[in-house]
Amino acid sequence: MALAAIVAQLGADLGALELELRSFVASKPNITVATTFSLHDECLLEGLLSRIWQSWSIFCRRCIVESCMGTTTISGAVVPPHPYALSQAHVSAAAIRARRRPSSTVFWGNMNRVLRDEPTWGDVNVLADIVPRLGPSNQLQLQAAFSAGSQSAKAVQTIRNAAAHTNQQTVAEVLTIGASYVTFAPTHPTHAMFWTVKATGDFLIANAIAELLNTASAAAT
């Protein structure tokens, strides 16, 4: 599959989710205090956040798998296939080995059939580890793009993880990323989605969606 099609799908997915977020914001007169949010709101936001993270992770997987198997970029450049990337199952197995055994040589002969064993594709730290070891011919472009978009990707991941696994440590991790934003005290991790970017006043989640799309476009160029 061409990388342009993968980026377009991410754009459609995130665009639909952003519309839901904008509708939510329009219904709230004051979204800068924790008391604004009801239990229903938090459940809705947790679902939207999870879908945003899933959409980003699916893009990262598809982009890397297709880059290994051979594809074309948005600009029309041909990305030749890795000689041992014979199927998605081969790339999957190589990615698992690259993540689990960082000091060993990636062996491309295995095929993975258990998708839950794969690395966390949306985690930019994971991508920094496995992309150069998988060795697609566009690896430098992928690495540069994922590095440039790391702040927003990590912010989404941190808030999503805290919402899915709420405990003292995950909540503390959310508070740590607050240094980059204008914040208010949250009583649920999803409230941090509406912290604002200091330079622009954009909501964290709206800014993150825009940056994830820019990152995806850069990775696929």
Side-chain angles (χ1 to χ4, degrees), residues 143-168:
Q143 288 176 268
F146 290 134
S147 176
S150 62
Q151 179 175 335
S152 288
K154 292 303 292 184
V156 171
Q157 182 181 15
T158 300
I159 299 169
R160 179 264 172 193
N161 286 350
H165 312 285
T166 305
N167 57 55
Q168 185 177 8

Side-chain angles (χ1 to χ4, degrees), residues 163-177:
H165 312 285
T166 305
N167 57 55
Q168 185 177 8
Q169 292 179 346
T170 57
V171 171
E173 289 170 357
V174 172
L175 296 177
T176 298
I177 68 172

Side-chain angles (χ1 to χ4, degrees), residues 104-178:
S104 66
T105 301
V106 174
F107 178 66
W108 279 88
N110 291 333
M111 296 175 64
N112 176 53
R113 301 296 187 190
V114 184
L115 296 181
R116 67 174 176 269
D117 289 340
E118 291 185 350
T120 304
W121 291 102
D123 188 326
V124 289
N125 292 337
V126 171
L127 299 183
D129 288 340
I130 68 173
V131 168
R133 304 195 66 224
L134 293 175
S137 64
N138 60 340
Q139 63 176 294
L140 294 180
Q141 184 73 18
L142 295 176
Q143 288 176 268
F146 290 134
S147 176
S150 62
Q151 179 175 335
S152 288
K154 292 303 292 184
V156 171
Q157 182 181 15
T158 300
I159 299 169
R160 179 264 172 193
N161 286 350
H165 312 285
T166 305
N167 57 55
Q168 185 177 8
Q169 292 179 346
T170 57
V171 171
E173 289 170 357
V174 172
L175 296 177
T176 298
I177 68 172

Side-chain angles (χ1 to χ4, degrees), residues 1-219:
M1 180 184 294
L3 296 184
I6 300 173
V7 174
Q9 185 61 60
L10 177 66
D13 292 342
L14 292 183
L17 295 168
E18 186 172 12
L19 282 177
E20 294 295 330
L21 284 166
R22 291 188 182 278
S23 177
F24 174 82
V25 170
S27 71
K28 296 294 179 183
N30 181 9
I31 208 164
T32 59
V33 292
T35 53
T36 297
F37 303 92
S38 66
L39 175 60
H40 179 272
D41 293 339
E42 291 166 357
C43 291
L44 171 65
L45 292 172
E46 192 168 338
L48 289 172
L49 180 62
S50 179
R51 290 287 290 271
I52 291 168
W53 174 249
Q54 289 177 53
S55 296
W56 167 247
S57 297
I58 289 169
F59 163 78
C60 293
R61 183 185 191 276
R62 287 176 175 169
C63 183
I64 293 168
V65 169
E66 295 298 330
S67 293
C68 288
M69 293 180 62
T71 186
T72 56
T73 69
I74 291 175
S75 61
V78 174
V79 180
H82 189 288
Y84 298 114
L86 304 180
S87 67
Q88 288 193 28
H90 284 92
V91 180
S92 176
I96 292 169
R97 187 178 179 94
R99 180 59 175 165
R100 291 182 175 178
R101 302 182 182 182
S103 61
S104 66
T105 301
V106 174
F107 178 66
W108 279 88
N110 291 333
M111 296 175 64
N112 176 53
R113 301 296 187 190
V114 184
L115 296 181
R116 67 174 176 269
D117 289 340
E118 291 185 350
T120 304
W121 291 102
D123 188 326
V124 289
N125 292 337
V126 171
L127 299 183
D129 288 340
I130 68 173
V131 168
R133 304 195 66 224
L134 293 175
S137 64
N138 60 340
Q139 63 176 294
L140 294 180
Q141 184 73 18
L142 295 176
Q143 288 176 268
F146 290 134
S147 176
S150 62
Q151 179 175 335
S152 288
K154 292 303 292 184
V156 171
Q157 182 181 15
T158 300
I159 299 169
R160 179 264 172 193
N161 286 350
H165 312 285
T166 305
N167 57 55
Q168 185 177 8
Q169 292 179 346
T170 57
V171 171
E173 289 170 357
V174 172
L175 296 177
T176 298
I177 68 172
S180 299
Y181 303 93
V182 177
T183 67
F184 57 88
T187 56
H188 188 271
T190 56
H191 300 174
M193 296 165 66
F194 300 99
W195 290 347
T196 54
V197 179
K198 293 178 179 178
T200 64
D202 291 339
F203 289 126
L204 180 157
I205 193 61
N207 182 74
I209 288 174
E211 288 202 1
L212 292 179
L213 287 172
N214 288 337
T215 298
S217 180

